[in-house]
Structure formats: C-alpha cells, structure tokens
Amino acid sequence: MIKIDLDDTFDATTASEDLKRFTFNSELKDNTDLELHVLISEHPDPLLPNVFNLAFGPLGDDNEIDDAIAVRHKNLNKVFSTILFFAITFLEDNSDKQYSIGIDGSDEIRAYLYHRMFRYNNDTLSDTIVTVGVDWYVKLLRNGTDIERDSDGLPLFKPRPEPFDLKRSPRDLYRYYIFSLNN
C-alpha cells in the first residue's frame, strides 16, 4: 500500500521553469540510484480541456520516459509522494487556470495501483486535491441504429469523468484518474 506524505519527498535534481518537467533520484532495492523523469503535458483529448497528463519513469532507449520499465524502488511511498508533490505544486502555480492532472492506468496493474493509492490516501489528500475517475464509453445508440463513429468509421470513445467512488470494487477500475486543487 502506498502511503503519501507530502512532507517526505526527494529533492528535484532538475526542474523546468514552468514545472512541467523535473527529475529526481530514487534509491533502488539493490542500493543503486535511478534518475526518474516526470513530464506534465497537455492531454490531447479535446473532451478533457485543461487536463494535463502526468508521465513518469526512467528514460528508455529512445530517450523518452518509459513507464513500462519495472523498477524496484527502496521507498515507493517517497517516490509517489515526490511525484504528487511536484504535480500539486504545478497546479498551485497555475491555480488561476483551473488545471487538472491525470494519470493513465494504462494496464490493470497500474490502474489498480493508482486506484488503491487515491483511495487509501483520501483522508490525507482530500484537503489539498479532489480526485475523479474517468471511464471511457461509446454511446451505443445514435439515431436508434448505430454507435457514434469518428471520421474513419471507428467507434468514438468519449471520456466520462465522475466523482471518485471510494467503495468502487478494485475489479471495476477507472481507466484514468484526474485530480485538481480542492478550492
């Protein structure tokens, strides 16, 4: 279980002026250090305005963040506390714009991890952030005969944000988790 403590974080080794990029070092279980990169970038879906996507992990062979690499951190609580601390700092620095930050549960393991992290830390974080879960759906009937389709004829998936359900079964995970400042 990840326990978030925003007072126990790693120091950034680099940070962009706009706080959309930063790096920090995490100690691994084998006592080596690994540089982790964090990127906050605009979400490409126009149906999620003012949402920024949070990506993090070590750099892969292509020099881009590889969030699929399995990493064995010595202190996973501190890693996630650091990532959330800087994400919240980005939101606070842009509070006049009412941005939100999303984390993609790109597979079942990550979605389960994020679900449990937000659920378990709700009491700790609820004064600072509000979390919503996002499901993707296809409107099954349009004009009574078809599903909605994009210009290529593919089903049009739309995000459906909803208040984060703390009692939602871990078997029914959200696809995306979004948080914003609790104003």
Side-chain angles (χ1 to χ4, degrees):
M1 187 67 60
I2 295 174
K3 175 139 178 58
I4 300 298
D5 181 351
L6 299 176
D7 293 322
D8 184 23
T9 62
F10 294 107
D11 292 331
T13 53
T14 64
S16 64
E17 195 170 312
D18 61 5
L19 296 177
K20 289 182 179 179
R21 294 178 175 270
F22 67 93
T23 61
F24 65 96
N25 291 316
S26 172
E27 188 176 3
L28 304 181
K29 288 189 175 186
D30 67 2
N31 294 320
T32 61
D33 282 348
L34 177 66
E35 183 177 67
L36 296 180
H37 293 253
V38 180
L39 174 64
I40 299 171
S41 58
E42 287 187 63
H43 195 285
D45 193 324
L47 295 173
L48 293 173
N50 293 330
V51 174
F52 284 75
N53 190 64
L54 179 63
F56 52 91
L59 294 183
D61 293 336
D62 60 357
N63 214 28
E64 297 290 326
I65 293 174
D66 187 344
D67 62 0
I69 294 175
V71 180
R72 296 181 43 87
H73 298 282
K74 186 174 270 188
N75 189 338
L76 193 59
N77 296 334
K78 195 168 183 175
V79 168
F80 275 91
S81 294
T82 301
I83 293 165
L84 283 178
F85 174 79
F86 279 98
I88 290 168
T89 302
F90 169 81
L91 291 174
E92 290 172 343
D93 280 4
N94 293 283
S95 62
D96 59 320
K97 298 174 184 122
Q98 298 184 340
Y99 289 154
S100 297
I101 293 180
I103 302 176
D104 188 355
S106 57
D107 60 33
E108 288 293 314
I109 294 170
R110 284 178 179 77
Y112 185 70
L113 175 72
Y114 303 151
H115 189 89
R116 291 193 49 176
M117 178 185 71
F118 284 116
R119 189 169 108 190
Y120 180 75
N121 291 284
N122 183 63
D123 289 342
T124 303
L125 296 172
S126 63
D127 287 341
T128 308
I129 62 173
V130 173
T131 305
V132 298
V134 181
D135 285 323
W136 262 256
Y137 72 99
V138 174
K139 185 177 178 183
L140 296 177
L141 297 175
R142 183 187 69 196
N143 301 328
T145 59
D146 198 3
I147 60 174
E148 291 179 280
R149 298 182 183 274
D150 65 16
S151 59
D152 296 323
L154 300 171
L156 183 61
F157 290 89
K158 293 182 178 181
R160 187 188 67 189
E162 59 186 48
F164 187 86
D165 182 356
L166 295 172
K167 293 183 169 88
R168 188 171 177 159
S169 167
R171 284 180 261 144
D172 185 20
L173 300 169
Y174 295 107
R175 175 67 172 81
Y176 200 64
Y177 296 82
I178 297 177
F179 59 94
S180 56
L181 293 178
N182 186 359
N183 294 331

